[in-house]
Amino acid sequence: MQITNIQSKIYEPESIVNFKVALIERVIPQNVIIKITTDEGIIGYGEAAPFLPVTGSDAQETQHFIQKIATFLIGKDPFYLENIHNLMNQVVVGQNAAKAGIDMALYDIIGKSSGQPLYKLLGGNSNQIETDMTLSIDTPENMAKKAVEYTEMGFRILKVKTGINSIEDIHAIKLIREAVGPDIELRLDANQGWDAKETIRTMKALEKYNVLEVEQPVPYWNLAACSQIRESISQHLMLDESVHSPQDALRAIQTEAADMINIKLMKCGGIYQGIKINAISEAAGIPCMVGCMSESRLGIAAGAALVGAKSNIPASDLDSHYLIAESPHIKGGFVQDGGLITIVDKPGLGVEVNFAAL
């Protein structure tokens, strides 16, 4: 089998939530959908969801790289994943969102060619996973109202964005806990908005509200602070922006800077690299989560396949398709009931894409 054509198209899903995090005032999604065709008529689809503060590129730059790398990949066997990833890395450093989209489409082809759902080919742990739902930074009162709305939709885990004002953050968590009761799991994500002392002070103040973990509270480069925080708080510390690669995961483990690691396909360059990060983490006894950027149902299906494949990935933050208006031209992949995602038993990603209509 050989790759005969690679096409890409910028896709601008409509935001239905005014999403705000510590890194940036408003997140406006602009993704790239990728279509890879083979000489056997098997077509794979992938999605790149770049986010400039994290991936270092925007949609236009992402599409430009995809068009450039296509000339190197025509004629390649899509099963030669190691070879293709090495080639992409030789052409350019970074551009991980673009590489993730290509990687996703290749895995879709491999699954379709094998006649198996991707989660089975990658390991086959379970076809059901549970995702959290993310609360954007807002007034504490509005965040509490939104928390109730999400729990009434069936979500049992809430990920609360924080990191701009710790006093407001503490008040928001207080109101959210009072609103949703004791049985809903709460996770925090500060998106690098605090320093070590503020993190420790804030997390100690939040102990009475039964918060399970805090994610990436300090700047990505400061693993020393992460180690200090981890030793000083009762909650779990998860790293996100600090870990883009398997090498980053190893450094975080060696410095004892993390209780968990958040794998995002857009950060690391796709499923192929995500598997490596998980393997390193599992060897060290550290579980992982798979998160997302602004992916549509297509990208979420890929993340769900990785979670469903591996027992060392017990957590997922695969909710971005709830934050954007879903396209009628991207269907399938999974069905969802509240936070419970059931992966469909179809080859590859199981997603139907009307590329021409996007």
Side-chain angles (χ1 to χ4, degrees), residues 292-313:
C292 60
M293 297 293 199
S294 60
E295 292 97 309
S296 72
R297 175 173 290 268
L298 175 57
I300 294 298
L306 180 54
V307 179
K310 303 297 182 182
S311 61
N312 193 58
I313 309 179

Side-chain angles (χ1 to χ4, degrees), residues 117-159:
L118 186 56
Y119 83 92
K120 287 186 180 180
L121 288 179
L122 297 179
N125 182 56
S126 176
N127 72 326
Q128 290 190 322
I129 66 174
E130 186 171 16
T131 181
D132 62 28
M133 188 65 192
T134 304
L135 288 166
S136 169
I137 294 175
D138 202 336
T139 66
E141 293 76 16
N142 285 344
M143 292 175 75
K145 290 178 183 178
K146 184 62 73 171
V148 172
E149 179 183 325
Y150 287 150
T151 57
E152 289 177 347
M153 290 168 59
F155 289 93
R156 301 187 303 171
I157 309 167
L158 298 177
K159 180 175 179 177

